[in-house]
Amino acid sequence: MEGHHKEEKTSDVQSPADPGHPVKCSPVIIDNIPLNGPTVNVLASENFIHQSMSIIVENAIKKATDVREKVCEWRSPEQLKELLDLELRDGGESESEILQRFKDAIRYSVKTSECLKFNELRSEHRDTTLGKWLPEYTYEVAPVFTLAEEAVLKKMMELIGWKDGGDGIFNAGGSMSNMYAVNLARYRCCPDIKENGLSAAPRLVMFTSQECHYSISKAAALLGIGTKNVYLLCVFFRGKMIPSALEEQILSAKSEGAVPFMVNATAGTTVLGAFDPIDVIADICEKHNLWLHVDACWGGAALVSSKHKHLLKGIHRADSVAWNPHKMLMACLQCSAFMVRDKTSLLQRCHSARASYLFQQDKFYDVSYDTGDKSVQCSRKPDAFKIWLMWKALGSKELEQRVDRLNFLHHRYLAEEIKKREGFRLLMEPEYANICFWYIPPSLQTLPDGPELWEKLHKVAPVIKERMMKKGSMMVGYQPHGEKANFFRMIIISPQVSRQDMDFVLDEINNLGKDL
């Protein structure tokens, strides 16, 4: 393993196999980051949750259903910015400060359960308040969350490298973000299609790698482009798009009379964790005037790490980016951002329906804060608030360490352990946090690589998965890939995971499959 090891005094860590009995272990420090043992104080976390729930009960339920209370504590955008201190900094804040953020968010939000609220055709029963926050589509019903979304998008765009900013919106998942990208790219290519429909457009084609997320094809189907007009490009062994294949397909499509309009590059493929060469792809897109979208739903978290952001080299040249903080950054599901470099209101023009009962232009405040008309939805959950509050609590430096520690050092350790152990074989050296490997039972270890081995090995992972699920010991996914036999794909995200847990996973797979 790379990095400097520093051994400290032993500590008690619970055994994954027998949680009731602690085992002695030696903490491991790599690159000045502790790799061993949980990083979260469970008792402190429980106390924080109890305090948070008390705030919700008192302020979001009792006061929200009391007719004597105000429906809202109105403040202008600029006033709220001063009151809330929305800036995201490198250093985290104290627990008491975060609880105050929580109180302020409730205080300056509209009480949607209040019986005197007649603003929209909706309300909430008091029993549902614990399970959800109010929706977001205009500033007047969601002032805190609108500004929190603006602050988070600004910070994420800074990390992408858009020095002049851009535009964006949080939405219901990465698949939806990719759909936004396809629709926006098509609108830029054929703006008349919004009013005149598909008859106003030529045969449009788009390009992506064979390893892309399935939502790209789903977006093409949903938008009437057609899945056959999604050209799937060949990839290198490691799952990266081959740029020369992209250029060939663009020229081929033009020779057929089709109109290329978009390229989707993937930063962190689902199975192998591959990163397409964005910089080279951007050169080709500029040459042919194509919209470049980067699906960084999984790999976008590397942008917060100075050590690993090189994986997304060239992403600042993208026209749009999808990034899911609910993945590696561990914001609560769902938390998905779609961002666009354009600053000419392209997102608004593409999706606006100008509903006069919501988006009046003669309101008493700055209507540019009414973000709902940029969305294909009406009501949206204020998902940006989840990552905003977490970012405020941890700070950029802690988020960076989380990515480095949990998703690179841990995975590096696991990959090295797999290479050491008899009966385990890596599919390939990992580039990102996806560790793909086979477990080969003793009965198959003497077989040479060939059809017989792979045919029998294909049946091993499903049986082990069944056994672990029925035993309830753990859950590890498996899948085939092309002509490759079923293999396990291990991805570690929880901050509670330790070196002992990773050892336990490999031991357990061996115990569950050694008789096969």
Side-chain angles (χ1 to χ4, degrees), residues 3 26 115 197 215 229 256 342 380 383 476:
S26 298
C115 62
S215 59
N229 291 318
E256 296 169 3
D342 176 90
R380 291 185 296 127
D383 296 318
V476 181

Side-chain angles (χ1 to χ4, degrees), residues 2 22 60 87 113 130 155 186 191 197 208 217 228 244 247 311 317 346 363 378 414 442 465 471 492 495:
E2 299 177 12
E87 183 181 352
S113 299
L130 279 172
K155 193 70 173 180
R186 183 179 67 172
T208 189
S217 290
K228 287 186 177 181
S244 60
E247 185 110 49
L311 293 170
R317 302 173 65 187
L346 185 67
K363 291 181 178 180
C378 182
L414 181 63
K465 178 63 179 287
K471 183 179 177 182
I492 305 162

Side-chain angles (χ1 to χ4, degrees), residues 167-237:
D167 200 358
I169 197 165
F170 274 73
N171 57 81
S175 294
M176 180 72 78
S177 293
N178 289 335
M179 188 198 76
Y180 270 106
V182 177
N183 198 39
L184 209 59
R186 183 179 67 172
Y187 178 77
R188 189 192 70 164
C189 179
C190 302
D192 290 344
I193 202 170
K194 179 177 179 179
E195 294 184 357
N196 298 325
L198 297 177
S199 61
R203 179 191 161 210
L204 298 173
V205 296
M206 52 192 290
F207 308 86
T208 189
S209 84
Q210 295 171 341
E211 297 292 310
C212 76
H213 193 263
Y214 63 83
S215 59
I216 299 298
S217 290
K218 290 183 75 171
L222 182 65
L223 295 170
I225 292 169
T227 56
K228 287 186 177 181
N229 291 318
V230 179
Y231 285 38
L232 298 178
L233 304 170
C234 296
V235 297
F236 293 113
F237 167 71

Side-chain angles (χ1 to χ4, degrees), residues 6-26:
K6 178 182 178 183
E7 298 294 335
E8 296 182 351
K9 65 180 182 179
T10 60
S11 60
D12 288 345
V13 177
Q14 289 186 345
S15 166
D18 187 0
H21 293 80
V23 296
K24 294 291 184 180
C25 66
S26 298

